[in-house]
Amino acid sequence: MAQLLSSSCSLTFSASNKPCLKPFHQCSTSFSNTVVCDNSKTPFRQLFLREQKPRKSLAVVNASTISTGQEAPVQTSSGDPFKPKRVMVIGGDGYCGWATALHLSNKGYEVAIVDNLVRRLFDHQLGLDSLTPISSIQDRIQCWKSLTGKSIELYIGDICEFEFLSETFKSYEPDAVVHFGEQRSAPYSMIDRSRAVYTQQNNVVGTLNVLFAIKEYREDCHLVKLGTMGEYGTPNIDIEEGYITITHNGRTDTLPYPKQASSFYHLSKVHDSHNIAFTCKAWGIRATDLNQGVVYGVRTDETAMHEELCNRFDYDAIFGTALNRFCVQAAVGHPLTVYGKGGQTRAFLDIRDTVQCVELAIANPANPGEFRVFNQFTEQFKVTELAELVTKAGEKLGLDVKTISVPNPRVELEEHYYNCKNTKLVDLGLKPHFLSDSLIDSLLNFAVQYKDRVDTKQIMPGVSWRKVGVKTKTLTS
Ligand SMILES: O=S([O-])[O-]
């Protein structure tokens, strides 16, 4: 069984290859507006907390105010206009999930967070920590309520356990599910066999369970699923939004764009996409796959409202995303670590655009049976370009920023063609926050503010795509 909160960071996986998480939710006591389950046998004392839902209708973003490009208004299966109000955010305690849950709540949606808090557990297991101190999910939600008067319901549990998920669905009755609840790190999935198996089981089974829950209990519910631009790999042709029209031997068809994922994590997202596409066809599920680029930034309008709402900011080699990591490296005088030649081009977006994109997808739902794919990013950069931008911004602040090339732990092209389409979210009304000097300045200042919390041992890559083996690793560097 996993030894939680162990300072020696020893980690054991159960025979089923899952980090041992159970039992996170066994409800027993109910009082006032909260249902609490306390399993005090786990060192990580978990609460299953569900505020009783007020059934009053709230002002919601009106789908009809934003142009969808669709000819007929989106309808429920009974023919009424479909206006989502109740949104379930799976993975709502994570980096993108927390920012999204608050944003949707702020915009007038009723929001429930579903999370098993495993992301916090990964940090304990691997000896990592967010640059920013983050409050417990219970304190975060309480703080939001006292600042805004808005309630967010909370369901703690694992969506891979169908009984938990079905109870949650029946209780909350979502109109839309935003699914961030996956192991989201490529390096994590390449640490060892057990993490590779965990990533694919967790991600693929979790999504499959969500699809079954929608079919069984909420057939009009719109699934907004976080995919990744990494599903496409780096083909030597333009990357379209989900589909490509091909003429072959004189015949033409529009087909799913080829997938060339390059880690067990990215492959889990490819498998998800196939399962979702199939269930849209077979069962009439309505779904949007948001193939998201690399997210940077930390503040959104909502998380900036109070320090207890502060989002996590990962800078380590497992969960840290490129630009955020470079800013922390610059702040503490660690050279920026470019992997290999650094000519890898990727698609990027500001976390303020993540929350905007999800809101747009929800407000403009897919039709029943439709499997939409949106490429969710705003700009493309080479890794070396990002390093140059951070170097320049650092110099302005008086920081001495150096860049080094480290042996590339990944198997990937280090120089390649890359040109991706991203018009669908813009057509729905996305107003991008492009990467500007002022954003990099503020990220750098942010990193400087918290630099005493930086553990430089977390920075260098320790997970190799070629050396991944069957022996369970307790440390990654
Ligand atoms: O919270 S996450 O996505 O690292």
mmCIF file of all heavy atoms in Angstrom, residues 180-203:
data_model
loop_
_atom_site.group_PDB
_atom_site.id
_atom_site.type_symbol
_atom_site.label_atom_id
_atom_site.label_comp_id
_atom_site.label_asym_id
_atom_site.label_seq_id
_atom_site.Cartn_x
_atom_site.Cartn_y
_atom_site.Cartn_z
ATOM 1 N N PHE A 180 -10.900 17.113 -16.499
ATOM 2 C CA PHE A 180 -9.459 17.339 -16.356
ATOM 3 C C PHE A 180 -8.839 16.224 -15.505
ATOM 4 O O PHE A 180 -7.656 16.311 -15.186
ATOM 5 C CB PHE A 180 -9.188 18.622 -15.556
ATOM 6 C CG PHE A 180 -9.468 19.917 -16.233
ATOM 7 C CD1 PHE A 180 -10.610 20.646 -15.936
ATOM 8 C CD2 PHE A 180 -8.569 20.457 -17.133
ATOM 9 C CE1 PHE A 180 -10.845 21.875 -16.514
ATOM 10 C CE2 PHE A 180 -8.805 21.693 -17.719
ATOM 11 C CZ PHE A 180 -9.944 22.396 -17.416
ATOM 12 N N GLY A 181 -9.653 15.252 -15.083
ATOM 13 C CA GLY A 181 -9.211 14.353 -14.012
ATOM 14 C C GLY A 181 -8.296 13.244 -14.471
ATOM 15 O O GLY A 181 -8.572 12.068 -14.225
ATOM 16 N N GLU A 182 -7.207 13.602 -15.120
ATOM 17 C CA GLU A 182 -6.298 12.561 -15.613
ATOM 18 C C GLU A 182 -4.882 12.829 -15.123
ATOM 19 O O GLU A 182 -4.537 13.963 -14.775
ATOM 20 C CB GLU A 182 -6.333 12.539 -17.141
ATOM 21 C CG GLU A 182 -7.736 12.228 -17.663
ATOM 22 C CD GLU A 182 -7.764 11.637 -19.059
ATOM 23 O OE1 GLU A 182 -6.958 12.061 -19.899
ATOM 24 O OE2 GLU A 182 -8.591 10.730 -19.291
ATOM 25 N N GLN A 183 -4.091 11.771 -15.093
ATOM 26 C CA GLN A 183 -2.648 11.936 -14.835
ATOM 27 C C GLN A 183 -2.143 12.691 -16.047
ATOM 28 O O GLN A 183 -2.204 12.187 -17.157
ATOM 29 C CB GLN A 183 -2.020 10.554 -14.677
ATOM 30 C CG GLN A 183 -0.618 10.569 -14.098
ATOM 31 C CD GLN A 183 0.398 11.335 -14.931
ATOM 32 O OE1 GLN A 183 0.684 12.525 -14.680
ATOM 33 N NE2 GLN A 183 0.935 10.686 -15.935
ATOM 34 N N ARG A 184 -1.579 13.896 -15.862
ATOM 35 C CA ARG A 184 -1.354 14.757 -17.023
ATOM 36 C C ARG A 184 0.113 14.991 -17.374
ATOM 37 O O ARG A 184 0.420 15.913 -18.124
ATOM 38 C CB ARG A 184 -2.082 16.082 -16.826
ATOM 39 C CG ARG A 184 -1.665 16.901 -15.601
ATOM 40 C CD ARG A 184 -0.636 17.896 -15.940
ATOM 41 N NE ARG A 184 -0.329 18.819 -14.870
ATOM 42 C CZ ARG A 184 0.788 19.518 -14.863
ATOM 43 N NH1 ARG A 184 1.657 19.387 -15.826
ATOM 44 N NH2 ARG A 184 1.038 20.340 -13.867
ATOM 45 N N SER A 185 1.005 14.205 -16.799
ATOM 46 C CA SER A 185 2.424 14.455 -17.078
ATOM 47 C C SER A 185 3.031 13.332 -17.920
ATOM 48 O O SER A 185 2.953 12.149 -17.555
ATOM 49 C CB SER A 185 3.177 14.588 -15.752
ATOM 50 O OG SER A 185 4.538 14.271 -15.927
ATOM 51 N N ALA A 186 3.667 13.726 -19.036
ATOM 52 C CA ALA A 186 4.361 12.723 -19.859
ATOM 53 C C ALA A 186 5.523 12.103 -19.080
ATOM 54 O O ALA A 186 5.639 10.872 -19.020
ATOM 55 C CB ALA A 186 4.830 13.363 -21.160
ATOM 56 N N PRO A 187 6.393 12.923 -18.440
ATOM 57 C CA PRO A 187 7.483 12.292 -17.686
ATOM 58 C C PRO A 187 6.973 11.350 -16.591
ATOM 59 O O PRO A 187 7.557 10.288 -16.365
ATOM 60 C CB PRO A 187 8.241 13.481 -17.070
ATOM 61 C CG PRO A 187 7.901 14.645 -17.932
ATOM 62 C CD PRO A 187 6.528 14.393 -18.467
ATOM 63 N N TYR A 188 5.884 11.722 -15.914
ATOM 64 C CA TYR A 188 5.363 10.827 -14.865
ATOM 65 C C TYR A 188 5.059 9.453 -15.468
ATOM 66 O O TYR A 188 5.379 8.415 -14.891
ATOM 67 C CB TYR A 188 4.096 11.414 -14.228
ATOM 68 C CG TYR A 188 3.599 10.600 -13.049
ATOM 69 C CD1 TYR A 188 3.989 10.918 -11.753
ATOM 70 C CD2 TYR A 188 2.772 9.494 -13.234
ATOM 71 C CE1 TYR A 188 3.568 10.152 -10.667
ATOM 72 C CE2 TYR A 188 2.342 8.728 -12.160
ATOM 73 C CZ TYR A 188 2.751 9.055 -10.878
ATOM 74 O OH TYR A 188 2.334 8.292 -9.805
ATOM 75 N N SER A 189 4.464 9.460 -16.654
ATOM 76 C CA SER A 189 4.073 8.179 -17.267
ATOM 77 C C SER A 189 5.271 7.372 -17.749
ATOM 78 O O SER A 189 5.130 6.210 -18.113
ATOM 79 C CB SER A 189 3.124 8.434 -18.441
ATOM 80 O OG SER A 189 3.832 8.938 -19.568
ATOM 81 N N MET A 190 6.454 8.030 -17.776
ATOM 82 C CA MET A 190 7.657 7.347 -18.261
ATOM 83 C C MET A 190 8.636 7.051 -17.121
ATOM 84 O O MET A 190 9.785 6.685 -17.361
ATOM 85 C CB MET A 190 8.365 8.207 -19.337
ATOM 86 C CG MET A 190 7.508 8.570 -20.536
ATOM 87 S SD MET A 190 6.866 7.158 -21.448
ATOM 88 C CE MET A 190 8.354 6.519 -22.190
ATOM 89 N N ILE A 191 8.193 7.199 -15.856
ATOM 90 C CA ILE A 191 9.100 6.936 -14.732
ATOM 91 C C ILE A 191 9.439 5.443 -14.672
ATOM 92 O O ILE A 191 10.592 5.050 -14.544
ATOM 93 C CB ILE A 191 8.473 7.386 -13.387
ATOM 94 C CG1 ILE A 191 8.336 8.912 -13.323
ATOM 95 C CG2 ILE A 191 9.305 6.883 -12.212
ATOM 96 C CD1 ILE A 191 7.608 9.425 -12.067
ATOM 97 N N ASP A 192 8.417 4.633 -14.725
ATOM 98 C CA ASP A 192 8.615 3.174 -14.653
ATOM 99 C C ASP A 192 7.336 2.487 -15.146
ATOM 100 O O ASP A 192 6.334 3.158 -15.446
ATOM 101 C CB ASP A 192 8.986 2.734 -13.222
ATOM 102 C CG ASP A 192 7.961 3.164 -12.186
ATOM 103 O OD1 ASP A 192 6.769 3.297 -12.548
ATOM 104 O OD2 ASP A 192 8.334 3.399 -11.026
ATOM 105 N N ARG A 193 7.391 1.168 -15.199
ATOM 106 C CA ARG A 193 6.236 0.423 -15.706
ATOM 107 C C ARG A 193 4.973 0.736 -14.910
ATOM 108 O O ARG A 193 3.894 0.940 -15.460
ATOM 109 C CB ARG A 193 6.539 -1.086 -15.647
ATOM 110 C CG ARG A 193 5.441 -1.974 -16.249
ATOM 111 C CD ARG A 193 5.466 -3.374 -15.645
ATOM 112 N NE ARG A 193 5.147 -3.335 -14.231
ATOM 113 C CZ ARG A 193 3.913 -3.415 -13.739
ATOM 114 N NH1 ARG A 193 2.882 -3.587 -14.545
ATOM 115 N NH2 ARG A 193 3.705 -3.335 -12.442
ATOM 116 N N SER A 194 5.110 0.775 -13.576
ATOM 117 C CA SER A 194 3.886 0.929 -12.785
ATOM 118 C C SER A 194 3.223 2.279 -13.051
ATOM 119 O O SER A 194 1.997 2.369 -13.093
ATOM 120 C CB SER A 194 4.178 0.753 -11.294
ATOM 121 O OG SER A 194 5.033 1.772 -10.844
ATOM 122 N N ARG A 195 4.029 3.341 -13.287
ATOM 123 C CA ARG A 195 3.430 4.645 -13.582
ATOM 124 C C ARG A 195 2.847 4.666 -15.000
ATOM 125 O O ARG A 195 1.854 5.362 -15.253
ATOM 126 C CB ARG A 195 4.466 5.747 -13.443
ATOM 127 C CG ARG A 195 4.550 6.427 -12.110
ATOM 128 C CD ARG A 195 4.796 5.513 -10.968
ATOM 129 N NE ARG A 195 5.154 6.243 -9.763
ATOM 130 C CZ ARG A 195 6.372 6.215 -9.223
ATOM 131 N NH1 ARG A 195 7.336 5.471 -9.748
ATOM 132 N NH2 ARG A 195 6.608 6.901 -8.129
ATOM 133 N N ALA A 196 3.467 3.940 -15.922
ATOM 134 C CA ALA A 196 2.909 3.860 -17.282
ATOM 135 C C ALA A 196 1.540 3.175 -17.239
ATOM 136 O O ALA A 196 0.560 3.670 -17.813
ATOM 137 C CB ALA A 196 3.853 3.079 -18.196
ATOM 138 N N VAL A 197 1.490 2.055 -16.500
ATOM 139 C CA VAL A 197 0.226 1.306 -16.420
ATOM 140 C C VAL A 197 -0.817 2.134 -15.663
ATOM 141 O O VAL A 197 -1.975 2.211 -16.067
ATOM 142 C CB VAL A 197 0.468 -0.063 -15.744
ATOM 143 C CG1 VAL A 197 -0.843 -0.780 -15.490
ATOM 144 C CG2 VAL A 197 1.389 -0.915 -16.615
ATOM 145 N N TYR A 198 -0.395 2.764 -14.572
ATOM 146 C CA TYR A 198 -1.326 3.595 -13.808
ATOM 147 C C TYR A 198 -1.922 4.689 -14.699
ATOM 148 O O TYR A 198 -3.133 4.931 -14.716
ATOM 149 C CB TYR A 198 -0.622 4.241 -12.598
ATOM 150 C CG TYR A 198 -1.476 5.316 -11.987
ATOM 151 C CD1 TYR A 198 -2.559 4.980 -11.178
ATOM 152 C CD2 TYR A 198 -1.252 6.660 -12.276
ATOM 153 C CE1 TYR A 198 -3.387 5.966 -10.655
ATOM 154 C CE2 TYR A 198 -2.071 7.648 -11.757
ATOM 155 C CZ TYR A 198 -3.136 7.300 -10.947
ATOM 156 O OH TYR A 198 -3.958 8.268 -10.450
ATOM 157 N N THR A 199 -1.048 5.372 -15.451
ATOM 158 C CA THR A 199 -1.510 6.488 -16.279
ATOM 159 C C THR A 199 -2.565 6.019 -17.274
ATOM 160 O O THR A 199 -3.620 6.646 -17.437
ATOM 161 C CB THR A 199 -0.315 7.120 -17.024
ATOM 162 O OG1 THR A 199 0.621 7.599 -16.051
ATOM 163 C CG2 THR A 199 -0.747 8.264 -17.920
ATOM 164 N N GLN A 200 -2.286 4.905 -17.923
ATOM 165 C CA GLN A 200 -3.257 4.475 -18.941
ATOM 166 C C GLN A 200 -4.521 3.924 -18.302
ATOM 167 O O GLN A 200 -5.627 4.208 -18.767
ATOM 168 C CB GLN A 200 -2.602 3.472 -19.893
ATOM 169 C CG GLN A 200 -1.502 4.158 -20.707
ATOM 170 C CD GLN A 200 -1.298 3.613 -22.099
ATOM 171 O OE1 GLN A 200 -1.813 2.568 -22.460
ATOM 172 N NE2 GLN A 200 -0.520 4.336 -22.881
ATOM 173 N N GLN A 201 -4.384 3.168 -17.205
ATOM 174 C CA GLN A 201 -5.605 2.672 -16.545
ATOM 175 C C GLN A 201 -6.443 3.835 -16.039
ATOM 176 O O GLN A 201 -7.637 3.917 -16.263
ATOM 177 C CB GLN A 201 -5.235 1.789 -15.348
ATOM 178 C CG GLN A 201 -4.944 0.369 -15.739
ATOM 179 C CD GLN A 201 -4.630 -0.501 -14.519
ATOM 180 O OE1 GLN A 201 -4.342 0.006 -13.442
ATOM 181 N NE2 GLN A 201 -4.662 -1.797 -14.727
ATOM 182 N N ASN A 202 -5.798 4.721 -15.317
ATOM 183 C CA ASN A 202 -6.515 5.843 -14.703
ATOM 184 C C ASN A 202 -7.208 6.690 -15.767
ATOM 185 O O ASN A 202 -8.400 7.006 -15.661
ATOM 186 C CB ASN A 202 -5.524 6.699 -13.922
ATOM 187 C CG ASN A 202 -6.199 7.875 -13.247
ATOM 188 O OD1 ASN A 202 -6.939 7.701 -12.293
ATOM 189 N ND2 ASN A 202 -5.978 9.070 -13.774
ATOM 190 N N ASN A 203 -6.464 7.046 -16.802
ATOM 191 C CA ASN A 203 -7.014 7.973 -17.786
ATOM 192 C C ASN A 203 -8.071 7.305 -18.656
ATOM 193 O O ASN A 203 -9.162 7.841 -18.851
ATOM 194 C CB ASN A 203 -5.884 8.558 -18.640
ATOM 195 C CG ASN A 203 -4.933 9.427 -17.816
ATOM 196 O OD1 ASN A 203 -5.090 9.558 -16.602
ATOM 197 N ND2 ASN A 203 -3.946 10.011 -18.455
#
